[in-house]
Amino acid sequence: MKNRFSAFPCAAAAVSDSGVAEKTKYISYRLDSLIAFSGGNSESFRQIMNSLIRSCKINVKLFSVCLQEKDDEGISELSHKMLTLFRHLEAAEIVEMLALLAQKKSAFMGSPYYYRLGRSVLEMIETLIQTIQKNEPAINYSV
């Protein structure tokens, strides 16, 4: 099993001179540590990925509800819980945002910025899940 690295476009965009959003930010992830954890065994890797992504999908649904209800404690707890997966995926951009949201009693908790950050990371996570599912089609990710 070879090492895997990917980058995908995310919805973060800048406005050009014409006023049109053009610039796309790329979010990277790596599967190397999960491949190593599986011992290079394809079946073990498939099972690990299946479990992690299924769990992530459940957490994403809960995270979305917490954002809608402005449940700061729920957002913080789920952010903390999801950090491990995204550290394993080496998705630094997502890890950075989740780490901010996971901080209990932060100065910006409950602010409009806090919820915008939450919506942004949720979008990035959903895009990453879709990308992984597309790149690893042999794995059953259904919840």
Side-chain angles (χ1 to χ4, degrees):
M1 186 178 292
K2 65 181 180 171
N3 291 341
R4 297 182 185 161
F5 170 80
S6 187
F8 62 94
C10 191
V15 178
S16 71
D17 293 335
S18 65
V20 177
E22 292 180 18
K23 186 177 179 183
T24 304
K25 179 179 181 181
Y26 284 86
I27 306 300
S28 62
Y29 71 98
R30 297 179 67 90
L31 300 176
D32 297 353
S33 66
L34 295 173
I35 291 168
F37 184 74
S38 71
N41 180 296
S42 295
E43 181 59 23
S44 293
F45 174 73
R46 187 191 66 75
Q47 289 176 2
I48 291 166
M49 287 299 297
N50 185 29
S51 176
L52 291 175
I53 299 300
R54 288 176 66 204
S55 173
C56 185
K57 283 180 166 184
I58 292 167
N59 289 332
V60 161
K61 288 178 185 177
L62 294 171
F63 193 87
S64 180
V65 170
C66 288
L67 278 171
Q68 289 173 349
E69 295 176 356
K70 297 190 180 205
D71 176 2
D72 298 345
E73 283 296 315
I75 292 168
S76 177
E77 289 174 17
L78 285 165
S79 295
H80 178 75
K81 184 177 181 181
M82 290 191 288
L83 270 169
T84 302
L85 168 63
F86 293 101
R87 283 186 176 128
H88 284 298
L89 292 174
E90 300 179 42
E93 298 87 350
I94 292 174
V95 168
E96 183 178 326
M97 295 170 82
L98 286 174
L100 287 172
L101 291 168
Q103 295 174 10
K104 297 214 184 255
K105 300 178 183 170
S106 69
F108 71 99
M109 190 179 238
S111 70
Y113 172 75
Y114 185 76
Y115 301 117
R116 279 195 309 272
L117 184 64
R119 286 188 296 277
S120 293
V121 78
L122 181 63
E123 183 178 308
M124 292 169 70
I125 290 169
E126 289 172 334
T127 302
L128 177 58
I129 290 170
Q130 291 171 1
T131 301
I132 290 172
Q133 287 177 299
K134 186 176 84 175
N135 292 341
E136 301 292 334
I139 301 171
N140 177 11
Y141 297 106
S142 59
V143 176

